[in-house]
Amino acid sequence: MRRSLFLALALTTGLAAQACAAPMVAVQDEPMRVAAPPQDVPSRLLAAHNAERRRVGTPPLQWDDTLAAEARVWARVLVDTGRWEHDPTLHGNGENLWTGWGSRIWTPEEMVAEWAAEKRDYVHGVFPHVSRTGDWTAVGHYTQIIARRTTHVGCAIASRGDRSVLACRYSPPGNVDGLRAY
């Protein structure tokens, strides 16, 4: 079972309101449910993001250790508490979340591909009018990945039992009212 969630935090006028060096994190020594050596995860997550950006002609993202550290803290909170929500703190960055349950083990590329699959409903328009469904949250993960104004990303994965959470933070955040993704 998989589930994705997106939110661009409203921190300044114009932002939509709702909706690693330190690579992966195992909570309480639980094994990580990711099909990749821990040292490879940040580069593979970054490459998966940049492959989508290449497809639309936006510049590649750079890895940011500070964003990864922030993402790590929130991913740990989610697996420790069993909650499923965006970080309510006004951290000023975009955020994509993904989770998976069960015995299935995912690759970093598969996790990002879940977000990228939203491009099937994407319409190249002015945010928030970017989805053929009429609901921008249907493409919010994808538009955050490809947003031209976003230059940096940092991600972390936390696992406990049969659940893994991927949290990615983006700076500056994408999905800004009145702007095109690219």
PDB file of all heavy atoms in Angstrom, residues 63-97:
ATOM      1  N   TRP A  63      21.513  19.076  -3.963  1.00  0.00           N
ATOM      2  CA  TRP A  63      21.225  18.480  -2.665  1.00  0.00           C
ATOM      3  C   TRP A  63      21.582  19.479  -1.569  1.00  0.00           C
ATOM      4  O   TRP A  63      22.609  20.144  -1.637  1.00  0.00           O
ATOM      5  CB  TRP A  63      22.028  17.205  -2.478  1.00  0.00           C
ATOM      6  CG  TRP A  63      21.606  16.460  -1.259  1.00  0.00           C
ATOM      7  CD1 TRP A  63      22.214  16.474  -0.037  1.00  0.00           C
ATOM      8  CD2 TRP A  63      20.470  15.612  -1.144  1.00  0.00           C
ATOM      9  NE1 TRP A  63      21.514  15.672   0.830  1.00  0.00           N
ATOM     10  CE2 TRP A  63      20.440  15.137   0.183  1.00  0.00           C
ATOM     11  CE3 TRP A  63      19.470  15.205  -2.030  1.00  0.00           C
ATOM     12  CZ2 TRP A  63      19.452  14.272   0.643  1.00  0.00           C
ATOM     13  CZ3 TRP A  63      18.490  14.341  -1.573  1.00  0.00           C
ATOM     14  CH2 TRP A  63      18.493  13.882  -0.256  1.00  0.00           C
ATOM     15  N   ASP A  64      20.737  19.558  -0.549  1.00  0.00           N
ATOM     16  CA  ASP A  64      20.953  20.475   0.567  1.00  0.00           C
ATOM     17  C   ASP A  64      20.883  19.686   1.877  1.00  0.00           C
ATOM     18  O   ASP A  64      19.834  19.148   2.219  1.00  0.00           O
ATOM     19  CB  ASP A  64      19.884  21.576   0.522  1.00  0.00           C
ATOM     20  CG  ASP A  64      20.109  22.642   1.560  1.00  0.00           C
ATOM     21  OD1 ASP A  64      20.066  22.329   2.769  1.00  0.00           O
ATOM     22  OD2 ASP A  64      20.300  23.815   1.172  1.00  0.00           O
ATOM     23  N   ASP A  65      21.992  19.630   2.585  1.00  0.00           N
ATOM     24  CA  ASP A  65      22.060  18.865   3.831  1.00  0.00           C
ATOM     25  C   ASP A  65      21.145  19.425   4.920  1.00  0.00           C
ATOM     26  O   ASP A  65      20.619  18.672   5.743  1.00  0.00           O
ATOM     27  CB  ASP A  65      23.494  18.828   4.361  1.00  0.00           C
ATOM     28  CG  ASP A  65      24.414  17.987   3.493  1.00  0.00           C
ATOM     29  OD1 ASP A  65      23.914  17.067   2.806  1.00  0.00           O
ATOM     30  OD2 ASP A  65      25.629  18.253   3.497  1.00  0.00           O
ATOM     31  N   THR A  66      20.959  20.742   4.935  1.00  0.00           N
ATOM     32  CA  THR A  66      20.074  21.344   5.937  1.00  0.00           C
ATOM     33  C   THR A  66      18.632  20.928   5.695  1.00  0.00           C
ATOM     34  O   THR A  66      17.904  20.571   6.630  1.00  0.00           O
ATOM     35  CB  THR A  66      20.202  22.884   5.930  1.00  0.00           C
ATOM     36  OG1 THR A  66      21.568  23.223   6.211  1.00  0.00           O
ATOM     37  CG2 THR A  66      19.291  23.525   6.959  1.00  0.00           C
ATOM     38  N   LEU A  67      18.208  20.943   4.424  1.00  0.00           N
ATOM     39  CA  LEU A  67      16.857  20.481   4.091  1.00  0.00           C
ATOM     40  C   LEU A  67      16.702  18.996   4.436  1.00  0.00           C
ATOM     41  O   LEU A  67      15.653  18.573   4.936  1.00  0.00           O
ATOM     42  CB  LEU A  67      16.553  20.718   2.616  1.00  0.00           C
ATOM     43  CG  LEU A  67      16.432  22.175   2.170  1.00  0.00           C
ATOM     44  CD1 LEU A  67      16.308  22.248   0.650  1.00  0.00           C
ATOM     45  CD2 LEU A  67      15.270  22.869   2.850  1.00  0.00           C
ATOM     46  N   ALA A  68      17.734  18.208   4.172  1.00  0.00           N
ATOM     47  CA  ALA A  68      17.682  16.778   4.484  1.00  0.00           C
ATOM     48  C   ALA A  68      17.548  16.567   5.988  1.00  0.00           C
ATOM     49  O   ALA A  68      16.789  15.692   6.434  1.00  0.00           O
ATOM     50  CB  ALA A  68      18.922  16.071   3.948  1.00  0.00           C
ATOM     51  N   ALA A  69      18.245  17.365   6.784  1.00  0.00           N
ATOM     52  CA  ALA A  69      18.147  17.238   8.236  1.00  0.00           C
ATOM     53  C   ALA A  69      16.741  17.584   8.714  1.00  0.00           C
ATOM     54  O   ALA A  69      16.190  16.899   9.586  1.00  0.00           O
ATOM     55  CB  ALA A  69      19.183  18.134   8.915  1.00  0.00           C
ATOM     56  N   GLU A  70      16.148  18.630   8.150  1.00  0.00           N
ATOM     57  CA  GLU A  70      14.768  18.997   8.501  1.00  0.00           C
ATOM     58  C   GLU A  70      13.803  17.878   8.114  1.00  0.00           C
ATOM     59  O   GLU A  70      12.895  17.529   8.877  1.00  0.00           O
ATOM     60  CB  GLU A  70      14.360  20.283   7.805  1.00  0.00           C
ATOM     61  CG  GLU A  70      15.062  21.524   8.302  1.00  0.00           C
ATOM     62  CD  GLU A  70      14.688  22.764   7.503  1.00  0.00           C
ATOM     63  OE1 GLU A  70      13.727  22.720   6.694  1.00  0.00           O
ATOM     64  OE2 GLU A  70      15.367  23.787   7.678  1.00  0.00           O
ATOM     65  N   ALA A  71      13.988  17.343   6.916  1.00  0.00           N
ATOM     66  CA  ALA A  71      13.126  16.253   6.441  1.00  0.00           C
ATOM     67  C   ALA A  71      13.271  15.028   7.340  1.00  0.00           C
ATOM     68  O   ALA A  71      12.292  14.347   7.640  1.00  0.00           O
ATOM     69  CB  ALA A  71      13.471  15.901   4.990  1.00  0.00           C
ATOM     70  N   ARG A  72      14.491  14.757   7.796  1.00  0.00           N
ATOM     71  CA  ARG A  72      14.749  13.614   8.657  1.00  0.00           C
ATOM     72  C   ARG A  72      13.976  13.730   9.972  1.00  0.00           C
ATOM     73  O   ARG A  72      13.361  12.768  10.436  1.00  0.00           O
ATOM     74  CB  ARG A  72      16.240  13.482   8.948  1.00  0.00           C
ATOM     75  CG  ARG A  72      16.611  12.268   9.755  1.00  0.00           C
ATOM     76  CD  ARG A  72      18.117  12.127   9.993  1.00  0.00           C
ATOM     77  NE  ARG A  72      18.942  12.524   8.875  1.00  0.00           N
ATOM     78  CZ  ARG A  72      19.592  13.699   8.810  1.00  0.00           C
ATOM     79  NH1 ARG A  72      19.527  14.565   9.781  1.00  0.00           N
ATOM     80  NH2 ARG A  72      20.307  13.984   7.745  1.00  0.00           N
ATOM     81  N   VAL A  73      13.983  14.924  10.553  1.00  0.00           N
ATOM     82  CA  VAL A  73      13.256  15.134  11.808  1.00  0.00           C
ATOM     83  C   VAL A  73      11.771  14.849  11.615  1.00  0.00           C
ATOM     84  O   VAL A  73      11.148  14.144  12.414  1.00  0.00           O
ATOM     85  CB  VAL A  73      13.482  16.570  12.334  1.00  0.00           C
ATOM     86  CG1 VAL A  73      12.517  16.902  13.461  1.00  0.00           C
ATOM     87  CG2 VAL A  73      14.928  16.750  12.779  1.00  0.00           C
ATOM     88  N   TRP A  74      11.185  15.376  10.511  1.00  0.00           N
ATOM     89  CA  TRP A  74       9.751  15.183  10.302  1.00  0.00           C
ATOM     90  C   TRP A  74       9.417  13.726   9.955  1.00  0.00           C
ATOM     91  O   TRP A  74       8.422  13.188  10.427  1.00  0.00           O
ATOM     92  CB  TRP A  74       9.203  16.142   9.254  1.00  0.00           C
ATOM     93  CG  TRP A  74       7.714  16.093   9.213  1.00  0.00           C
ATOM     94  CD1 TRP A  74       6.929  15.721   8.172  1.00  0.00           C
ATOM     95  CD2 TRP A  74       6.817  16.381  10.288  1.00  0.00           C
ATOM     96  NE1 TRP A  74       5.609  15.764   8.526  1.00  0.00           N
ATOM     97  CE2 TRP A  74       5.508  16.173   9.827  1.00  0.00           C
ATOM     98  CE3 TRP A  74       7.002  16.797  11.612  1.00  0.00           C
ATOM     99  CZ2 TRP A  74       4.384  16.355  10.632  1.00  0.00           C
ATOM    100  CZ3 TRP A  74       5.883  16.991  12.413  1.00  0.00           C
ATOM    101  CH2 TRP A  74       4.589  16.768  11.918  1.00  0.00           C
ATOM    102  N   ALA A  75      10.248  13.086   9.160  1.00  0.00           N
ATOM    103  CA  ALA A  75      10.009  11.676   8.833  1.00  0.00           C
ATOM    104  C   ALA A  75      10.023  10.838  10.111  1.00  0.00           C
ATOM    105  O   ALA A  75       9.187   9.942  10.281  1.00  0.00           O
ATOM    106  CB  ALA A  75      11.058  11.170   7.841  1.00  0.00           C
ATOM    107  N   ARG A  76      10.933  11.137  11.017  1.00  0.00           N
ATOM    108  CA  ARG A  76      10.992  10.404  12.298  1.00  0.00           C
ATOM    109  C   ARG A  76       9.717  10.631  13.104  1.00  0.00           C
ATOM    110  O   ARG A  76       9.190   9.695  13.705  1.00  0.00           O
ATOM    111  CB  ARG A  76      12.190  10.848  13.119  1.00  0.00           C
ATOM    112  CG  ARG A  76      13.477  10.254  12.675  1.00  0.00           C
ATOM    113  CD  ARG A  76      14.595  10.730  13.564  1.00  0.00           C
ATOM    114  NE  ARG A  76      15.820  10.042  13.249  1.00  0.00           N
ATOM    115  CZ  ARG A  76      16.999  10.392  13.721  1.00  0.00           C
ATOM    116  NH1 ARG A  76      17.111  11.414  14.538  1.00  0.00           N
ATOM    117  NH2 ARG A  76      18.072   9.716  13.389  1.00  0.00           N
ATOM    118  N   VAL A  77       9.250  11.885  13.149  1.00  0.00           N
ATOM    119  CA  VAL A  77       8.013  12.176  13.880  1.00  0.00           C
ATOM    120  C   VAL A  77       6.874  11.336  13.315  1.00  0.00           C
ATOM    121  O   VAL A  77       6.091  10.744  14.061  1.00  0.00           O
ATOM    122  CB  VAL A  77       7.664  13.685  13.818  1.00  0.00           C
ATOM    123  CG1 VAL A  77       6.233  13.950  14.274  1.00  0.00           C
ATOM    124  CG2 VAL A  77       8.656  14.498  14.642  1.00  0.00           C
ATOM    125  N   LEU A  78       6.781  11.273  12.003  1.00  0.00           N
ATOM    126  CA  LEU A  78       5.677  10.530  11.380  1.00  0.00           C
ATOM    127  C   LEU A  78       5.726   9.048  11.707  1.00  0.00           C
ATOM    128  O   LEU A  78       4.698   8.448  12.010  1.00  0.00           O
ATOM    129  CB  LEU A  78       5.663  10.770   9.871  1.00  0.00           C
ATOM    130  CG  LEU A  78       5.335  12.202   9.448  1.00  0.00           C
ATOM    131  CD1 LEU A  78       5.470  12.357   7.938  1.00  0.00           C
ATOM    132  CD2 LEU A  78       3.963  12.631   9.917  1.00  0.00           C
ATOM    133  N   VAL A  79       6.906   8.441  11.655  1.00  0.00           N
ATOM    134  CA  VAL A  79       6.957   7.012  11.966  1.00  0.00           C
ATOM    135  C   VAL A  79       6.856   6.752  13.470  1.00  0.00           C
ATOM    136  O   VAL A  79       6.315   5.725  13.879  1.00  0.00           O
ATOM    137  CB  VAL A  79       8.179   6.282  11.355  1.00  0.00           C
ATOM    138  CG1 VAL A  79       8.152   6.328   9.853  1.00  0.00           C
ATOM    139  CG2 VAL A  79       9.473   6.803  11.906  1.00  0.00           C
ATOM    140  N   ASP A  80       7.349   7.675  14.275  1.00  0.00           N
ATOM    141  CA  ASP A  80       7.252   7.492  15.729  1.00  0.00           C
ATOM    142  C   ASP A  80       5.814   7.599  16.223  1.00  0.00           C
ATOM    143  O   ASP A  80       5.423   6.895  17.150  1.00  0.00           O
ATOM    144  CB  ASP A  80       8.090   8.542  16.473  1.00  0.00           C
ATOM    145  CG  ASP A  80       9.576   8.226  16.469  1.00  0.00           C
ATOM    146  OD1 ASP A  80       9.952   7.090  16.136  1.00  0.00           O
ATOM    147  OD2 ASP A  80      10.358   9.137  16.812  1.00  0.00           O
ATOM    148  N   THR A  81       5.039   8.505  15.622  1.00  0.00           N
ATOM    149  CA  THR A  81       3.689   8.776  16.113  1.00  0.00           C
ATOM    150  C   THR A  81       2.601   8.075  15.319  1.00  0.00           C
ATOM    151  O   THR A  81       1.461   8.009  15.769  1.00  0.00           O
ATOM    152  CB  THR A  81       3.398  10.284  16.066  1.00  0.00           C
ATOM    153  OG1 THR A  81       3.420  10.720  14.692  1.00  0.00           O
ATOM    154  CG2 THR A  81       4.406  11.078  16.897  1.00  0.00           C
ATOM    155  N   GLY A  82       2.935   7.604  14.120  1.00  0.00           N
ATOM    156  CA  GLY A  82       1.918   7.010  13.254  1.00  0.00           C
ATOM    157  C   GLY A  82       1.050   8.051  12.573  1.00  0.00           C
ATOM    158  O   GLY A  82       0.103   7.713  11.877  1.00  0.00           O
ATOM    159  N   ARG A  83       1.376   9.324  12.755  1.00  0.00           N
ATOM    160  CA  ARG A  83       0.603  10.398  12.109  1.00  0.00           C
ATOM    161  C   ARG A  83       0.918  10.440  10.621  1.00  0.00           C
ATOM    162  O   ARG A  83       1.928   9.927  10.155  1.00  0.00           O
ATOM    163  CB  ARG A  83       0.951  11.757  12.742  1.00  0.00           C
ATOM    164  CG  ARG A  83       0.432  11.873  14.138  1.00  0.00           C
ATOM    165  CD  ARG A  83       0.964  13.044  14.935  1.00  0.00           C
ATOM    166  NE  ARG A  83       1.234  14.262  14.217  1.00  0.00           N
ATOM    167  CZ  ARG A  83       2.091  15.184  14.669  1.00  0.00           C
ATOM    168  NH1 ARG A  83       2.733  15.013  15.807  1.00  0.00           N
ATOM    169  NH2 ARG A  83       2.296  16.284  13.993  1.00  0.00           N
ATOM    170  N   TRP A  84       0.024  11.110   9.878  1.00  0.00           N
ATOM    171  CA  TRP A  84       0.238  11.317   8.452  1.00  0.00           C
ATOM    172  C   TRP A  84      -0.259  12.705   8.096  1.00  0.00           C
ATOM    173  O   TRP A  84      -1.440  12.904   7.846  1.00  0.00           O
ATOM    174  CB  TRP A  84      -0.471  10.248   7.619  1.00  0.00           C
ATOM    175  CG  TRP A  84      -0.147  10.396   6.176  1.00  0.00           C
ATOM    176  CD1 TRP A  84      -1.002  10.704   5.152  1.00  0.00           C
ATOM    177  CD2 TRP A  84       1.140  10.291   5.573  1.00  0.00           C
ATOM    178  NE1 TRP A  84      -0.325  10.788   3.968  1.00  0.00           N
ATOM    179  CE2 TRP A  84       0.999  10.532   4.198  1.00  0.00           C
ATOM    180  CE3 TRP A  84       2.421  10.027   6.075  1.00  0.00           C
ATOM    181  CZ2 TRP A  84       2.069  10.515   3.305  1.00  0.00           C
ATOM    182  CZ3 TRP A  84       3.482   9.999   5.174  1.00  0.00           C
ATOM    183  CH2 TRP A  84       3.294  10.232   3.818  1.00  0.00           C
ATOM    184  N   GLU A  85       0.649  13.659   8.131  1.00  0.00           N
ATOM    185  CA  GLU A  85       0.315  15.052   7.834  1.00  0.00           C
ATOM    186  C   GLU A  85       1.596  15.802   7.538  1.00  0.00           C
ATOM    187  O   GLU A  85       2.679  15.358   7.884  1.00  0.00           O
ATOM    188  CB  GLU A  85      -0.406  15.697   9.021  1.00  0.00           C
ATOM    189  CG  GLU A  85       0.442  15.763  10.277  1.00  0.00           C
ATOM    190  CD  GLU A  85      -0.318  16.238  11.506  1.00  0.00           C
ATOM    191  OE1 GLU A  85      -1.505  16.559  11.398  1.00  0.00           O
ATOM    192  OE2 GLU A  85       0.297  16.269  12.583  1.00  0.00           O
ATOM    193  N   HIS A  86       1.405  16.955   6.908  1.00  0.00           N
ATOM    194  CA  HIS A  86       2.566  17.805   6.668  1.00  0.00           C
ATOM    195  C   HIS A  86       3.000  18.475   7.950  1.00  0.00           C
ATOM    196  O   HIS A  86       2.205  18.670   8.874  1.00  0.00           O
ATOM    197  CB  HIS A  86       2.246  18.833   5.583  1.00  0.00           C
ATOM    198  CG  HIS A  86       2.328  18.232   4.224  1.00  0.00           C
ATOM    199  ND1 HIS A  86       3.512  18.016   3.572  1.00  0.00           N
ATOM    200  CD2 HIS A  86       1.364  17.767   3.412  1.00  0.00           C
ATOM    201  CE1 HIS A  86       3.272  17.457   2.404  1.00  0.00           C
ATOM    202  NE2 HIS A  86       1.982  17.283   2.291  1.00  0.00           N
ATOM    203  N   ASP A  87       4.257  18.817   7.986  1.00  0.00           N
ATOM    204  CA  ASP A  87       4.835  19.498   9.129  1.00  0.00           C
ATOM    205  C   ASP A  87       4.103  20.821   9.330  1.00  0.00           C
ATOM    206  O   ASP A  87       4.091  21.663   8.436  1.00  0.00           O
ATOM    207  CB  ASP A  87       6.321  19.731   8.849  1.00  0.00           C
ATOM    208  CG  ASP A  87       7.068  20.316  10.017  1.00  0.00           C
ATOM    209  OD1 ASP A  87       6.421  20.796  10.975  1.00  0.00           O
ATOM    210  OD2 ASP A  87       8.310  20.300   9.972  1.00  0.00           O
ATOM    211  N   PRO A  88       3.473  21.018  10.485  1.00  0.00           N
ATOM    212  CA  PRO A  88       2.708  22.242  10.709  1.00  0.00           C
ATOM    213  C   PRO A  88       3.569  23.464  11.024  1.00  0.00           C
ATOM    214  O   PRO A  88       3.065  24.579  11.040  1.00  0.00           O
ATOM    215  CB  PRO A  88       1.811  21.892  11.904  1.00  0.00           C
ATOM    216  CG  PRO A  88       2.590  20.862  12.655  1.00  0.00           C
ATOM    217  CD  PRO A  88       3.331  20.072  11.595  1.00  0.00           C
ATOM    218  N   THR A  89       4.868  23.263  11.257  1.00  0.00           N
ATOM    219  CA  THR A  89       5.719  24.420  11.537  1.00  0.00           C
ATOM    220  C   THR A  89       5.913  25.224  10.268  1.00  0.00           C
ATOM    221  O   THR A  89       5.948  24.681   9.163  1.00  0.00           O
ATOM    222  CB  THR A  89       7.097  23.999  12.092  1.00  0.00           C
ATOM    223  OG1 THR A  89       7.788  23.252  11.097  1.00  0.00           O
ATOM    224  CG2 THR A  89       6.960  23.184  13.370  1.00  0.00           C
ATOM    225  N   LEU A  90       6.045  26.502  10.408  1.00  0.00           N
ATOM    226  CA  LEU A  90       6.238  27.379   9.245  1.00  0.00           C
ATOM    227  C   LEU A  90       7.719  27.397   8.891  1.00  0.00           C
ATOM    228  O   LEU A  90       8.439  28.333   9.200  1.00  0.00           O
ATOM    229  CB  LEU A  90       5.706  28.778   9.558  1.00  0.00           C
ATOM    230  CG  LEU A  90       4.217  28.840   9.889  1.00  0.00           C
ATOM    231  CD1 LEU A  90       3.800  30.268  10.212  1.00  0.00           C
ATOM    232  CD2 LEU A  90       3.396  28.294   8.741  1.00  0.00           C
ATOM    233  N   HIS A  91       8.162  26.342   8.231  1.00  0.00           N
ATOM    234  CA  HIS A  91       9.587  26.180   7.920  1.00  0.00           C
ATOM    235  C   HIS A  91      10.009  26.874   6.633  1.00  0.00           C
ATOM    236  O   HIS A  91      11.193  26.970   6.349  1.00  0.00           O
ATOM    237  CB  HIS A  91       9.979  24.699   7.888  1.00  0.00           C
ATOM    238  CG  HIS A  91       9.120  23.846   7.033  1.00  0.00           C
ATOM    239  ND1 HIS A  91       9.176  23.845   5.670  1.00  0.00           N
ATOM    240  CD2 HIS A  91       8.158  22.958   7.373  1.00  0.00           C
ATOM    241  CE1 HIS A  91       8.299  22.987   5.190  1.00  0.00           C
ATOM    242  NE2 HIS A  91       7.667  22.430   6.209  1.00  0.00           N
ATOM    243  N   GLY A  92       9.060  27.356   5.848  1.00  0.00           N
ATOM    244  CA  GLY A  92       9.395  28.146   4.660  1.00  0.00           C
ATOM    245  C   GLY A  92       9.802  27.362   3.436  1.00  0.00           C
ATOM    246  O   GLY A  92      10.244  27.941   2.451  1.00  0.00           O
ATOM    247  N   ASN A  93       9.670  26.035   3.464  1.00  0.00           N
ATOM    248  CA  ASN A  93      10.055  25.208   2.331  1.00  0.00           C
ATOM    249  C   ASN A  93       8.864  24.427   1.809  1.00  0.00           C
ATOM    250  O   ASN A  93       7.893  24.228   2.519  1.00  0.00           O
ATOM    251  CB  ASN A  93      11.147  24.216   2.756  1.00  0.00           C
ATOM    252  CG  ASN A  93      12.357  24.918   3.285  1.00  0.00           C
ATOM    253  OD1 ASN A  93      12.922  25.772   2.623  1.00  0.00           O
ATOM    254  ND2 ASN A  93      12.770  24.576   4.487  1.00  0.00           N
ATOM    255  N   GLY A  94       8.965  23.974   0.555  1.00  0.00           N
ATOM    256  CA  GLY A  94       7.984  23.046   0.041  1.00  0.00           C
ATOM    257  C   GLY A  94       8.244  21.680   0.652  1.00  0.00           C
ATOM    258  O   GLY A  94       9.349  21.395   1.131  1.00  0.00           O
ATOM    259  N   GLU A  95       7.225  20.823   0.631  1.00  0.00           N
ATOM    260  CA  GLU A  95       7.376  19.499   1.226  1.00  0.00           C
ATOM    261  C   GLU A  95       6.556  18.476   0.460  1.00  0.00           C
ATOM    262  O   GLU A  95       5.390  18.710   0.171  1.00  0.00           O
ATOM    263  CB  GLU A  95       6.904  19.542   2.682  1.00  0.00           C
ATOM    264  CG  GLU A  95       7.016  18.229   3.407  1.00  0.00           C
ATOM    265  CD  GLU A  95       6.627  18.357   4.866  1.00  0.00           C
ATOM    266  OE1 GLU A  95       5.412  18.485   5.145  1.00  0.00           O
ATOM    267  OE2 GLU A  95       7.535  18.349   5.717  1.00  0.00           O
ATOM    268  N   ASN A  96       7.181  17.365   0.109  1.00  0.00           N
ATOM    269  CA  ASN A  96       6.487  16.208  -0.435  1.00  0.00           C
ATOM    270  C   ASN A  96       6.664  15.068   0.546  1.00  0.00           C
ATOM    271  O   ASN A  96       7.769  14.870   1.081  1.00  0.00           O
ATOM    272  CB  ASN A  96       7.067  15.781  -1.793  1.00  0.00           C
ATOM    273  CG  ASN A  96       6.540  16.579  -2.955  1.00  0.00           C
ATOM    274  OD1 ASN A  96       5.647  17.403  -2.815  1.00  0.00           O
ATOM    275  ND2 ASN A  96       7.102  16.356  -4.130  1.00  0.00           N
ATOM    276  N   LEU A  97       5.591  14.302   0.756  1.00  0.00           N
ATOM    277  CA  LEU A  97       5.637  13.138   1.632  1.00  0.00           C
ATOM    278  C   LEU A  97       5.145  11.911   0.877  1.00  0.00           C
ATOM    279  O   LEU A  97       4.232  12.008   0.067  1.00  0.00           O
ATOM    280  CB  LEU A  97       4.741  13.345   2.861  1.00  0.00           C
ATOM    281  CG  LEU A  97       5.080  14.499   3.779  1.00  0.00           C
ATOM    282  CD1 LEU A  97       4.023  14.630   4.873  1.00  0.00           C
ATOM    283  CD2 LEU A  97       6.462  14.338   4.383  1.00  0.00           C
TER     284      LEU A  97
END
